[in-house]
Amino acid sequence: MRSKTLASIAVTAGLALAVTACGANTSSNTGGSTETKTGSGTGAKVGVILPETKTSARWEGFDKPLLEAALKAEGLDPDIQNAQGDVQKFSTLADGMINNGVKVLIIATPNSEVGASVAKKAQAQGIQVIDYDRLNLGGSSSYYVSFDNVKVGELQGQGLADALKDKPQGANVIEIEGAPTDNNATLFADGQKKILKPLYDSGKLKLVQSQPIDDWDNQKGGQVFEQILTGNGGKVDGVVAANDGLAGAVITVLKKVGLNGKVPVTGQDATPDGLQAVLRGDQYMTVFKPIKEEAEAAAKLAGLLAKGDTAGADKLASGVTKDTKGSRDVKSVLLTSQLITKDKVKSVVDAAFVKATEICVADTQAACTELGIK
């Protein structure tokens, strides 16, 4: 997998989008809107299906408003829906969009099987399909827009390695990974291994257990972590948590045993809850993935495909991602993410990804003041 930053993709650098990203992250944007069509009634129709809302706030709070703004800026007519983690609903939404004559379908799927099925049906009707954020293994989508997800895992691994560098030999690490049906979770774990496996092999760190969590279920993640911790005699020095939701579940358990703030925990997505945890010191780091850039890249790609400009689309999607199940290379736009520790939280606010008021609350205000976040 090759990383390709958005800054190096000239065609996306000129996008001028009227996107108020910080306002898009508030709770008022997440409630009761998933069944409402978002089309503007002008331009080529583009369907977008997002996977769920239960385990991550990003899909409704970030991706939906940013994709809507970016697609409209391209002169397209977006219809953005959320499958709420229901595979059958995902397929039904896709059928409706296909029958409604969308020119392009952008899909972030609950699993590769439904994604591959939807892509096959859409392509049979001459509709171009873009895998968004998650690659559907064994599928047939022509394009993929995401972050370099192996690199995301490397950042998580490096963050934990940095946090444990002064620990004695054999520091205990527990890994709480994402859903095994999500190819991204596999890529995150691959990236983590690049950094952590040599430390496990040398004995510097000791891997207690690595456990994937079905459906990215935060509650289950907390339960599994507690079971592993208990089975290890309550000993843990560091935790790899694949995203901020799982990190929050881990931290809840650590609070019960008085270890929060003493045991570094990784995360991902730079959610308001995750950033608050970083500011409090309960979570060591998160990964900031500029979703605005991801949405803009997907919208630009959709605009080119809606016009039939496959040469332009191929130029934009100049990266390559290996579909290991389908034994094929998928043309990709792969963006760059950033490791965020406490001292770098301000950069996420400065990027208008979240508002200071969302993360500077009673128990983090002192840290915000110290870091100049306002």
Side-chain angles (χ1 to χ4, degrees):
M1 177 184 298
R2 297 202 308 265
S3 174
K4 179 70 70 174
T5 64
L6 193 67
S8 68
I9 303 171
V11 287
T12 56
L15 287 174
L17 300 180
V19 181
T20 53
C22 55
N25 302 334
T26 62
S27 59
S28 62
N29 288 290
T30 63
S33 61
T34 58
E35 296 301 319
T36 303
K37 289 190 176 183
T38 54
S40 63
T42 61
K45 294 178 182 178
V46 174
V48 181
I49 313 178
L50 302 175
E52 48 93 15
T53 58
K54 181 181 178 182
T55 69
S56 178
R58 66 164 286 189
W59 301 111
E60 288 293 294
F62 295 85
D63 295 85
K64 182 177 180 178
L66 292 170
L67 279 164
E68 182 175 5
L71 288 163
K72 286 181 177 179
E74 290 294 323
L76 301 168
D77 179 13
D79 177 11
I80 305 177
Q81 305 288 336
N82 194 304
Q84 298 296 345
D86 186 326
V87 172
Q88 183 57 53
K89 182 175 181 180
F90 195 99
S91 185
T92 300
L93 288 171
D95 289 344
M97 291 177 180
I98 291 169
N99 292 336
N100 199 35
V102 296
K103 295 291 186 183
V104 180
L105 194 59
I106 300 172
I107 55 174
T109 60
N111 62 52
S112 290
E113 288 74 17
V114 69
S117 175
V118 163
K120 185 176 180 180
K121 285 190 288 185
Q123 289 169 325
Q125 300 299 317
I127 298 168
Q128 292 275 11
V129 183
I130 301 169
D131 283 349
Y132 179 80
D133 199 74
R134 299 171 172 178
L135 180 68
N136 292 301
L137 296 178
S140 56
S141 299
S142 300
Y143 298 93
Y144 173 50
V145 177
S146 189
F147 294 86
D148 183 337
N149 292 306
V150 171
K151 183 63 177 178
V152 170
E154 288 179 17
L155 293 177
Q156 293 173 322
Q158 190 59 58
L160 192 70
D162 291 344
L164 297 177
K165 64 182 179 181
D166 295 327
K167 287 283 184 179
Q169 191 86 348
N172 288 262
V173 174
I174 298 173
E175 298 179 349
I176 302 298
E177 301 290 2
T181 54
D182 180 355
N183 185 55
N184 279 4
T186 300
L187 298 178
F188 302 148
D190 288 346
Q192 294 158 13
K193 287 183 178 68
K194 286 189 175 184
I195 305 300
L196 296 177
K197 190 175 185 302
L199 298 176
Y200 296 147
D201 290 346
S202 71
K204 169 62 179 173
L205 302 179
K206 175 187 175 183
L207 177 60
V208 177
Q209 189 171 331
S210 182
Q211 183 62 52
I213 303 299
D214 290 341
D215 301 320
W216 291 90
D217 188 314
N218 296 332
Q219 183 177 1
K220 184 175 182 180
Q223 292 169 348
V224 169
F225 172 72
E226 188 165 20
Q227 291 166 1
I228 297 171
L229 180 62
T230 301
N232 198 46
K235 294 183 294 183
V236 63
D237 296 294
V239 181
V240 173
N243 71 357
D244 288 349
L246 291 171
V250 165
I251 290 165
T252 297
V253 176
L254 292 174
K255 285 180 178 178
K256 288 170 59 176
V257 295
L259 291 177
N260 62 299
K262 301 174 183 177
V263 174
V265 180
T266 71
Q268 178 186 176
D269 290 333
T271 62
D273 286 347
L275 292 169
Q276 285 181 30
V278 172
L279 289 171
R280 287 195 305 268
D282 289 337
Q283 184 171 324
Y284 181 74
M285 57 80 69
T286 186
V287 177
F288 173 35
K289 301 189 295 187
I291 296 172
K292 182 173 183 285
E293 296 182 359
E294 187 179 21
E296 290 176 358
K300 184 67 176 177
L301 190 57
L304 293 166
L305 293 173
K307 293 185 293 187
D309 185 1
T310 54
D314 290 350
K315 182 178 179 181
L316 175 58
S318 57
V320 173
T321 301
K322 176 67 71 175
D323 176 354
T324 53
K325 184 176 180 180
S327 298
R328 68 189 189 105
D329 291 332
V330 185
K331 298 168 185 175
S332 305
V333 179
L334 299 174
L335 308 172
T336 298
S337 49
Q338 302 167 31
L339 190 158
I340 302 296
T341 47
K342 183 177 178 179
D343 60 319
K344 295 185 176 69
V345 170
K346 186 175 184 295
S347 66
V348 184
V349 178
D350 291 345
F353 189 70
V354 297
K355 293 190 289 188
T357 53
E358 293 179 281
I359 62 172
C360 297
V361 295
D363 61 352
T364 63
Q365 188 58 59
C368 286
T369 300
E370 178 188 350
L371 295 167
I373 301 172
K374 55 186 178 178

